[in-house]
Structure formats: structure tokens, C-alpha cells
Amino acid sequence: MKEYQFIETRRADWDAWDRWLAGGLRGKGERSDASGAEPGPAAITVESLPRQFRGLCRDLSLARDRRYSEPLLDALRDRVLAVHQRIYGARRAGGGRWLRFVLHDLPVLVRSEARLVWASAALFFLPLFLALAVLQFYPDGVYFLLSPETVGSVEEMYAPTAERLGRPRDASDDVMMLGFYIANNVRIDFQCFAGGIAFGLGSVFFLIYNGLVIGAVAGHLTQVGYIETFWGFVAGHSAPELIGAVLSGAAGLKIGLALIAPGRLRRADAVKRAAQRAVHLLYAAAGLTFCAAFVEAFWSPIRTLPVELKYGVGMAFWLSLLAYFSLVGRSRRAA
């Protein structure tokens, strides 16, 4: 059966599921809408729910086996997941939904968007490491990316004589720095995400740009010898902050890809569908950003802690987050 024939044959049932998800479960004999019309043959009722849900799952299985288009597979997959959540998660409290999101849905979502996440990571980390490496051999190259005033400011903040690392002169306490770090990290994440509306080009630009700027700061401070002060400072919060930026970029690329290649959907519908998944990636980025800001404000600046301890905590954060996104939710998904 060709794809368009399959869609026409099953469209009524899929529309019924969409109405059910937008409204609610109909009991036997209940009217389907305000006009007083009885439920049609494809309406979802208490009695038909198990049978029709099996049919929806069968549709997804057939579409996979027949290698139908990716937009159709995405639509069926999203519909099955939404129905499953509605059926089995309907009695969960709000906190339960968030717990499920954190312990299952989010890492599964990140793995399902692995290509975009890896693309975002490459656009961000490759310029970062390139700038860091080049500045070890060509120190004056930092002025192609940063102004002399900015270079002087970062040298002052991470100098071995600095009383509180990472704090500019006009910041009086850690709480003020918390607000500064949150604002700065949110700005970067928003740039990487919102740039997706320009057919993904904005996300690509801001990922590369921020990677180059961070690499320039890291490369310059390493080259001038501020290794323990700078790397000890950034070690603790680097994992949530940088992974948050990558996920924001992946969310922006998701929007851009829907604009460039909407498939058989209208461009507006493709963007709407992509945004449903992109926003969840942005939730993850926001959570990581706030965690990074707290660590950066209250842990990273402390001079009395051994730098080896800071490196150890930073490595633990990296390993924990990579394990979380790689492994959490696999057993439940398989089940």
C-alpha cells in the first residue's frame, strides 16, 4: 500500500485520537460535541479505547516496516506517546509528571534527537578547541576575537592575586554574581535557540561565535599562565553550562530544519510540530543553566579549596551528565 493510500485509510481514526487528546474520553452514549451530534464511527469511547489504541500502535509499526516518510513516522510516534501518557499518566500529580520528564522523557528525547545534538556540539566545541589551541602558538590572535578592554578584564578576574575569582570590580557579593551568571547564560542559550527561526542560520552563527569567544578566553588565560585560577574556576560549572548551550542550539536547529525541510506538512505545521520537541530541549537547557549559575556563583570562586578537588568535582559533573543522557530511560523504553 502506498503512503498516501495508507494515510487516507487511517486518517479518520487519527483525527479521532487528536480530538480525544484535545478534549477528553467519551463514555458510552455521550455526545461528541456541543452541537449534539453523536460520536462518529471513529470516536474514542471507553469501550473502544483498548482496541483503537492497539490499532494506533499497529499503524506506527506498519509505517516503520514499510519505510514511510519521516514526517509521518514522527506524527504517529508523537501521537502514540501522547495517548500512552494520557492513559497511564492521567492520575499522576504535577510533580509526578515532572519526575517522569526528568527521569525518563528528557534523556529519551535527547537520544532521539542525537543527530541535531551532535551537530550542535560540533558547531560549538570545534571552534572552542580550535581557538584554544591556536592561541597557544599565536597569542596575539586573541585580539581578533576580543577587545583589549575585555582581555584586560578577564585577566583581572582570574589573576592569581584575585581575592574572589571570576568577579568584576562592580560585583559586591555572590548573590549579585548569581544574577549576572543567570542573565549571561540565559542570553547565550536564547541566542542559540531563537536563531533557529532564521532557517537555522542564527543558531549556527551563535553556536560558532560563542564557541570561539569561550575558546579565546580559555586559550588566552592558559597561554599567560593563569591555569589553576581559570581552569579551577570553570571546572565545576562547565558541564551544565556548556551542555545547556548545546541543547539550546539543538532546539534551534530543530526549528530551522522544520523550516528548511517541512516534508509533506505545511511549513507552519512543521514548525509547530518541531517546536513541541524543541521546547522540551529548552527546558533541559534552562535547568542546566540555572544549576551552572549556582555552582559558578557559590562554589567556583572559593580560593581556599584545593584545585584538585575542583577538578574532581568538575569531572564528576561531566561523567554524571553524560551518563544521564546516554543511559537513563533505556530500560523503561525497552520494556
Side-chain angles (χ1 to χ4, degrees):
M1 180 182 293
K2 294 184 178 180
E3 181 174 333
Y4 76 90
Q5 295 174 318
F6 178 73
I7 292 174
E8 290 302 318
T9 301
R10 302 296 299 149
R11 185 187 299 277
D13 287 290
W14 300 342
D15 289 343
W17 280 117
D18 291 340
R19 290 193 299 272
W20 181 76
L21 288 169
L25 183 63
R26 307 283 177 190
K28 184 176 181 180
E30 290 188 26
R31 299 187 181 277
S32 61
D33 54 38
S35 66
E38 292 295 334
I44 310 299
T45 64
V46 172
E47 293 78 7
S48 67
L49 180 65
R51 172 180 55 80
Q52 289 182 271
F53 185 48
R54 288 194 298 271
L56 182 62
C57 295
R58 184 175 62 251
D59 291 342
L60 176 58
S61 179
L62 287 173
R64 284 173 174 167
D65 291 343
R66 294 170 180 174
R67 300 182 181 277
Y68 287 151
S69 66
E70 197 62 31
L72 176 60
L73 290 173
D74 284 342
L76 287 172
R77 189 181 300 114
D78 291 344
R79 193 174 285 112
V80 168
L81 289 174
V83 173
H84 184 277
Q85 176 64 21
R86 180 74 173 271
I87 295 172
Y88 295 102
R91 296 183 180 178
R92 294 178 182 270
R97 288 195 295 271
W98 277 104
L99 189 62
R100 176 181 172 80
F101 175 73
V102 172
L103 297 182
H104 179 264
D105 296 346
L106 174 58
V108 170
L109 171 63
V110 170
R111 290 194 294 272
S112 70
E113 300 292 348
R115 288 183 294 180
L116 291 177
V117 173
W118 281 114
S120 177
L123 290 168
F124 183 75
F125 283 111
L126 288 180
L128 190 158
F129 290 129
L130 178 63
L132 194 159
V134 167
L135 292 184
Q136 306 315 301
F137 302 97
Y138 182 55
D140 289 342
V142 69
Y143 297 107
F144 288 105
L145 297 169
L146 304 175
S147 67
E149 293 78 12
T150 301
V151 173
S153 177
V154 296
E155 286 181 357
E156 181 181 338
M157 288 190 293
Y158 298 103
T161 56
E163 182 180 351
R164 296 285 289 182
L165 297 174
R167 178 185 294 177
R169 289 181 179 180
D170 56 350
S172 59
D173 55 32
D174 292 341
V175 176
M176 181 179 289
M177 289 309 300
L178 173 63
F180 171 80
Y181 292 136
I182 289 176
N184 183 66
N185 294 346
V186 167
R187 175 182 59 82
I188 293 174
D189 290 352
F190 183 76
Q191 287 175 340
C192 295
F193 169 69
I197 202 66
F199 293 88
L201 295 177
S203 296
V204 171
F205 170 79
F206 283 114
L207 284 167
I208 294 174
Y209 171 77
N210 285 296
L212 286 172
V213 169
I214 294 172
V217 172
H220 176 70
L221 294 176
T222 300
Q223 199 278 328
V224 298
Y226 294 176
I227 295 175
E228 287 194 4
T229 51
F230 173 73
W231 290 105
F233 178 86
V234 302
H237 61 268
S238 60
E241 182 175 317
L242 300 185
I243 292 176
V246 167
L247 293 181
S248 296
L253 294 176
K254 181 77 174 174
I255 300 296
L257 187 61
L259 286 167
I260 295 172
R264 302 191 179 192
L265 299 175
R266 293 185 306 168
R267 187 166 275 110
D269 293 335
V271 171
K272 182 179 179 181
R273 187 178 299 279
Q276 293 173 349
R277 297 173 69 84
V279 165
H280 286 88
L281 290 175
L282 200 60
Y283 289 160
L288 292 171
T289 291
F290 280 99
C291 290
F294 273 91
V295 175
E296 192 171 3
F298 297 107
W299 164 269
S300 299
I302 302 175
R303 296 296 304 269
T304 56
L305 295 172
V307 69
E308 293 81 8
L309 176 61
K310 289 188 172 183
Y311 289 156
V313 169
M315 184 62 69
F317 273 126
W318 275 104
L319 293 176
S320 298
L321 285 175
L322 292 176
Y324 167 73
F325 287 116
S326 301
L327 303 175
V328 172
R330 286 189 180 275
S331 59
R332 291 184 64 176
R333 190 180 184 190

